[in-house]
């Protein structure tokens, strides 16, 4: 039971986000006694994934600004001794702000939608406290919700290496209904389809209304088919997370699908970007001269360190300026900058070359793509590491709130925590996710923000013969002062949305509210799903069924010295960052682990079952040729 936990641990970890989960697995694997708790009712924190109805419940919690977990008073102040101090932890999650929800799908009033209790007559539901003026970035860290639900109708214009044996590449039928099993023992990547599936096709019926209209009640009925991520990321096939998954054998708990298409948005249209040698020479969008120019530049990027004379004079220049000096056409410059390097125009030449090289090195390991996406959503990854921690003896408690850290006045070290039951739990080391720290502890911290949008649409942003492809697109900034927006489109075979729909994630660094940052891109790529007549050009775009905007706190890159009054044996993990990959989370987890346990290996490979010796089987083996019937089994290895 949660109210009768053991009172002695080596490590107590508060929060089940990805860095904390990796640390929990590493500590448990090294033989430490680990208690891993979270006041939320789900794993992952801001790295979590939700079904559609689960996401609506999550939104309701944030709109009400409610505390997670049991709020019954425990009187923990009375449990602090005279020789001790206490550092209170935060009781509620304030990392999500400016949530706005719009529904454009028609309202088919059946029992399912009535049970949900929302969107019954209005074509749009907005849950927000919309600000009249653009926000200053510094203002985004303040809580501005009104916690009221209001209804309004939006305007019509609104919005593998060959030697790799640990990862298995398989094909599946596009229409296969795959059930999710919690005890998977290997990791699969769903291989690319035939090349002709990638070729754009022209829909001859763009002027005809579709006969398969998606209603809101259908979305609600199929809500369990959705796995909607709070944070949108992809795994680089040569990235640190893939290496960690393979090394630790956590990969056996998950499956992955290839991200087949890298797209570009240029001159108002979406097109596929050729990345590999085969793609470049098969592309019909590039002239023969452009193909040679692009291949020459990409070949240089793979070993640019060996040719410093090629870029030494441009180190102080931006990468976009450097590309102009390489005699690349504007079309190729756009491809390299926004779809291959995936950097801002202002990034330095060296950073741009480094990003391009990393992209190219990731091609070919698990197919003709640099990226993988986890089936059932990003929220699977933290849970995989939690499972590893539990396998090696870690104890887990959700809905279990930690009230405070107990500090020994004499040593200045944290010696225990007190939970919401008033139980004191002792440990040597403590790891806390940033969102649990109080305002007093974080008073000097300057947080950044991430603008996020989650969309449900009825078709892909680039039609092909196959409707089961994952795409990533970078939309460059439209005007000065705006940021490039990363768009990830997921199909139903990723097990993140119902058949006949697509799940689209938009992400950028915040300068205003999420809706203000992202709505212009949404309008460029999609049209609202309405019953009104729309011209053929607009109807060619995917239609928007449902949209969510929100700002998420970015606590990455904050130094430990920014926090007030933290003891030396208390470490802080950050939430998700704005980057595409998982490098920051993995690096942070490994760095903190090495600081706490410098003599231990970080997430070593699991023991071979054949090498495990059970109690009573550790006697010396017999000398060959001898016969001892009484001990004939001693020294033999067993498997669990």
């Amino acid at each position: 039971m949660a109210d009768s936990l053991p009172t002695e641990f080596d490590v107590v970890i508060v929060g089940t986000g990805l860095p904390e989960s990796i640390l929990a697995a590493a500590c448990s694997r090294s033989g430490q006694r680990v208690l891993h708790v979270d006041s939320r009712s789900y794993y992952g924190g801001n790295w979590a994934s939700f079904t559609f109805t689960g996401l609506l419940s999550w939104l309701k919690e944030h709109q009400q600004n409610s505390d997670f977990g049991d709020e019954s008073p425990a009187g923990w102040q009375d449990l602090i001794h005279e020789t001790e101090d206490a550092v209170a932890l935060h009781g509620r999650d304030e990392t999500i702000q400016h949530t706005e929800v719009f529904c454009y799908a028609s309202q088919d009033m059946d029992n399912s939608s009535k049970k949900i209790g929302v969107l019954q007559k209005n074509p749009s539901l907005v849950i927000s406290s919309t600000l009249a003026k653009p926000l200053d970035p510094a203002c985004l860290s303040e809580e501005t919700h009104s916690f009221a639900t209001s209804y309004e109708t939006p305007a019509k214009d609104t919005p593998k290496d060959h030697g790799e044996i640990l990862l298995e590449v398989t094909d599946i039928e596009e229409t296969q209904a795959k059930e999710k099993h919690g005890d998977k023992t290997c990791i699969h990547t769903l291989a690319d389809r035939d090349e002709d599936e990638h070729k754009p096709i022209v829909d001859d019926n763009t002027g005809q209304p579709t006969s398969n209209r998606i209603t809101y009640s259908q979305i609600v009925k199929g809500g369990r088919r959705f796995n909607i991520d709070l944070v949108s990321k992809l795994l680089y096939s040569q990235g640190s997370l893939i290496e960690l998954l393979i090394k630790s054998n956590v990969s056996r708990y998950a499956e992955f699908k290839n991200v087949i298409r890298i797209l570009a948005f240029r001159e108002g249209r979406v097109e596929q970007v050729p990345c590999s040698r085969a793609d470049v020479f098969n592309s019909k969008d590039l002239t023969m001269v452009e193909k040679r120019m692009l291949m020459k530049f990409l070949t240089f990027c793979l070993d640019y360190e060996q040719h410093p004379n090629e870029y030494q004079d441009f180190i102080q220049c931006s990468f976009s300026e450097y590309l102009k000096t390489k005699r690349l056409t504007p079309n190729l410059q756009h491809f390299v900058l926004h779809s291959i390097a995936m950097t801002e125009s202002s990034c330095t030449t060296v950073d741009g070359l480094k990003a391009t090289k990393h992209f190219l090195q990731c091609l070919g390991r698990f197919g003709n793509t640099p990226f993988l996406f986890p089936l059932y959503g990003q929220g699977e990854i933290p849970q995989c590491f939690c499972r590893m921690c539990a396998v090696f003896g870690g104890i887990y408690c959700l809905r279990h709130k930690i009230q405070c850290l107990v500090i020994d006045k004499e040593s200045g070290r944290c010696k225990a925590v007190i939970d919401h039951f008033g139980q004191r739990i002792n440990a040597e080391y403590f790891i806390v996710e940033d969102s649990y720290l109080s305002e007093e502890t974080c008073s000097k911290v300057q947080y950044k923000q991430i603008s996020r949008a989650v969309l449900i649409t009825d078709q892909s942003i680039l039609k092909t013969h196959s409707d089961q492809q994952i795409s990533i697109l970078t939309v460059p900034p439209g005007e000065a002062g705006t940021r490039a927006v990363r768009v990830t489109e997921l199909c139903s075979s990723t097990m993140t949305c119902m058949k006949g729909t697509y799940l689209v994630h938009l992400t950028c660094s915040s300068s205003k509210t999420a809706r203000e940052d992202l709505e212009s891109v949404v309008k460029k790529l999609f049209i609202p799903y309405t019953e009104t007549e729309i011209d053929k050009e607009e109807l060619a775009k995917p239609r928007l069924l449902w949209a969510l905007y929100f700002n998420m706190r970015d606590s990455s890159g904050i130094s430990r010295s920014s926090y007030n009054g933290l003891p030396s044996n208390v470490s802080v993990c950050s939430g998700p960052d704005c980057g595409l990959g998982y490098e920051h989370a993995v690096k942070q987890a490994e760095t903190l682990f090495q600081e706490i346990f410098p003599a231990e290996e970080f997430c070593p490979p699991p023991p071979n079952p054949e090498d495990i010796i059970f109690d009573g089987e550790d006697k010396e083996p017999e000398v060959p040729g001898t016969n001892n019937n009484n001990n004939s089994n001693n020294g033999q290895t067993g498997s669990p």
Side-chain angles (χ1 to χ4, degrees):
M1 295 292 293
D3 57 351
S4 59
L5 287 171
T7 57
E8 298 291 335
F9 290 90
D10 296 312
V11 183
V12 172
I13 301 177
V14 183
T16 54
L18 181 58
E20 304 95 86
S21 299
I22 295 175
L23 275 165
C27 292
S28 182
R29 177 67 183 87
S30 65
Q32 309 300 322
R33 297 169 299 170
V34 176
L35 173 64
H36 200 177
V37 301
D38 200 323
S39 61
R40 302 173 177 91
S41 60
Y42 53 88
Y43 288 95
N46 283 350
W47 301 82
S49 303
F50 296 99
T51 63
F52 185 75
T53 51
L55 184 66
L56 296 181
S57 298
W58 175 83
L59 282 167
K60 184 177 180 180
E61 288 180 341
H62 282 278
Q63 286 300 317
Q64 294 175 345
N65 202 22
S66 62
D67 291 353
F68 290 97
D70 189 348
E71 292 301 307
S72 57
W76 60 266
Q77 295 88 346
D78 298 333
L79 302 176
I80 305 300
H81 304 154
E82 293 182 359
T83 59
E84 299 170 342
D85 282 329
V87 175
L89 296 185
H90 215 304
R92 59 190 176 218
D93 186 357
E94 294 184 348
T95 60
I96 305 297
Q97 301 173 14
H98 315 304
T99 56
E100 301 185 56
V101 180
F102 295 88
C103 183
Y104 301 93
S106 60
Q107 303 307 304
D108 181 9
M109 283 307 299
D110 62 5
N111 292 334
S112 298
S113 58
K114 289 179 181 178
K115 288 180 181 179
I116 296 300
V118 294
L119 301 176
Q120 296 188 0
K121 295 182 179 180
N122 304 70
S124 173
L125 168 68
V126 181
I127 307 176
S128 68
S129 174
T130 306
L131 303 181
K133 299 180 180 179
L135 289 187
D136 206 71
C139 298
L140 290 177
S141 61
E142 300 176 2
E143 183 62 60
T144 58
H145 287 307
S146 66
F147 317 125
T149 301
S150 61
Y151 294 82
E152 65 181 54
T153 303
K156 292 182 180 179
D157 60 345
T158 302
K160 201 165 226 196
D161 299 327
H162 295 296
E164 182 61 72
I165 62 173
L166 292 180
L167 295 182
E168 181 179 345
V169 180
T170 61
D171 287 318
I172 63 171
E173 293 295 327
E174 294 175 5
T175 59
Q176 179 181 5
K178 187 172 181 63
E179 295 298 325
K180 182 176 179 182
H181 298 282
D183 56 349
K184 293 190 179 296
T185 58
C186 63
I187 176 172
H188 302 272
T189 60
L190 309 183
D192 304 357
R193 306 296 196 274
D194 295 335
E195 290 185 3
D196 60 353
E197 294 179 347
H198 305 181
K199 298 176 182 178
I201 61 174
V202 178
D203 188 351
D204 295 331
N205 299 319
T206 54
Q208 302 296 326
T210 178
S211 59
N212 185 25
R213 302 188 70 85
I214 306 295
T215 64
Y216 181 75
S217 63
Q218 288 177 303
I219 295 176
V220 173
K221 284 181 179 179
R224 292 181 61 86
R225 297 287 183 182
F226 288 89
N227 284 289
I228 302 173
D229 300 320
L230 295 184
V231 59
S232 177
K233 289 183 177 292
L234 298 174
L235 289 82
Y236 282 94
S237 63
Q238 295 281 6
S240 57
L241 182 56
I242 285 288
E243 301 303 329
L244 180 60
L245 288 168
I246 294 174
K247 173 188 173 184
S248 63
N249 206 22
V250 173
S251 58
R252 70 186 185 272
Y253 298 131
E255 292 182 295
F256 293 84
K257 183 177 173 67
N258 295 95
V259 179
I260 297 176
R261 300 192 304 183
I262 313 297
L263 306 179
F265 184 81
R266 187 167 183 266
E267 297 178 351
R269 65 189 183 95
V270 177
E271 55 191 61
Q272 188 161 352
V273 176
C275 303
S276 67
R277 181 183 296 271
D279 287 343
V280 170
F281 286 104
N282 289 331
S283 174
K284 297 181 180 180
D285 297 323
L286 301 179
T287 66
M288 186 58 65
V289 174
E290 284 182 316
K291 292 178 181 180
R292 291 173 179 170
M293 294 170 64
L294 181 59
M295 280 308 306
K296 181 179 179 180
F297 179 74
L298 295 181
T299 302
F300 157 71
C301 290
L302 278 171
D303 61 349
Y304 73 92
E305 297 98 335
Q306 307 302 320
H307 308 282
N309 57 307
E310 292 284 338
Y311 63 90
Q312 204 69 37
D313 296 336
F314 304 95
I315 291 181
Q316 303 300 324
C317 298
S318 66
F319 188 46
S320 59
E321 293 174 348
Y322 173 71
L323 292 176
K324 295 176 182 178
T325 67
K326 304 303 290 184
R327 298 181 179 179
L328 298 176
T329 64
N331 196 33
L332 296 181
Q333 291 178 38
H334 184 92
F335 284 172
V336 172
L337 182 64
H338 296 293
S339 301
I340 297 179
M342 296 186 181
T343 61
E344 297 283 351
S345 302
S346 59
C347 89
T348 65
T349 296
V350 174
D351 288 341
L353 291 173
K354 184 178 179 180
T356 303
K357 178 180 179 178
H358 186 217
F359 180 98
L360 296 173
Q361 287 178 326
C362 292
L363 288 170
R365 186 176 189 184
F366 305 120
N368 191 24
T369 172
F371 302 116
L372 298 176
F373 178 82
L375 294 189
Y376 303 102
Q378 313 285 349
E380 290 295 294
I381 303 300
Q383 293 187 63
C384 289
F385 284 98
C386 289
R387 183 173 299 171
M388 176 183 175
C389 175
V391 165
F392 285 95
I395 295 178
Y396 278 83
C397 287
L398 296 180
R399 303 182 186 89
H400 199 91
K401 182 178 178 181
I402 300 298
Q403 302 269 36
C404 68
L405 307 175
V406 180
I407 315 299
D408 181 69
K409 289 183 178 179
E410 183 177 354
S411 65
R413 291 173 60 87
C414 182
K415 58 191 295 188
V417 295
I418 296 177
D419 66 12
H420 63 299
F421 292 111
Q423 181 180 5
R424 178 183 288 243
I425 302 171
N426 303 315
E428 288 294 320
Y429 299 98
F430 302 85
I431 298 168
V432 183
E433 201 268 324
D434 173 271
S435 65
Y436 286 91
L437 299 176
S438 66
E439 294 180 3
E440 181 180 354
T441 304
C442 302
S443 60
K444 296 189 299 183
V445 177
Q446 296 294 322
Y447 291 113
K448 297 175 290 184
Q449 296 287 322
I450 303 170
S451 289
R452 290 277 291 114
V454 179
L455 316 177
I456 299 175
T457 66
D458 68 340
Q459 64 185 29
S460 176
I461 52 179
L462 182 63
K463 285 189 176 182
T464 62
H465 291 286
S466 170
D467 61 353
Q468 295 300 310
Q469 300 185 60
I470 307 176
S471 306
I472 181 170
L473 164 69
T474 301
V475 179
E479 56 187 36
T482 60
R483 303 293 184 93
V485 175
R486 185 173 71 246
V487 181
T488 305
E489 181 184 74
L490 306 175
C491 56
S492 60
S493 64
T494 62
M495 312 302 165
T496 60
C497 57
M498 59 184 279
K499 189 170 179 61
T501 64
Y502 289 82
L503 191 63
V504 182
H505 293 274
L506 286 78
T507 307
C508 74
S509 299
S510 298
S511 58
K512 305 173 184 177
T513 66
R515 183 183 174 191
E516 291 172 314
D517 283 335
L518 300 173
E519 191 174 42
S520 61
V521 174
V522 173
K523 290 180 179 180
K524 291 177 182 177
L525 298 175
F526 308 98
I527 58 172
Y529 198 100
T530 62
E531 303 290 344
T532 57
E533 293 294 330
I534 304 173
D535 59 45
K536 292 184 179 182
E537 181 180 355
E538 284 296 302
L539 195 56
K541 296 181 180 179
R543 291 195 279 192
L544 186 58
L545 306 172
W546 186 87
L548 163 66
Y549 298 91
F550 63 92
N551 289 93
M552 175 184 289
R553 177 190 294 176
D554 180 357
S555 54
S556 64
I558 295 175
S559 65
R560 193 180 185 285
S561 59
S562 299
Y563 299 104
N564 298 323
L566 284 185
S568 59
N569 62 334
V570 175
S571 302
V572 180
C573 286
S574 66
D577 64 310
C578 195
L580 174 60
Y582 291 86
E583 275 61 33
H584 179 270
V586 175
K587 182 179 180 181
Q588 182 183 51
E590 183 173 7
T591 299
L592 290 178
F593 179 82
Q594 296 298 345
E595 289 177 357
I596 298 172
F597 303 110
E600 299 288 345
E601 182 180 359
F602 179 66
C603 285
N608 188 332
E610 296 180 357
D611 296 332
I612 298 176
I613 300 176
F614 296 110
D615 292 341
E617 295 183 345
D618 55 353
K619 297 180 181 180
E620 294 184 3
E622 297 178 22
V623 177
T626 64
N627 183 17
N628 188 339
N629 293 330
N630 294 331
N631 297 302
S632 59
N633 291 328
N634 288 343
Q636 299 297 314
T637 58
S639 59

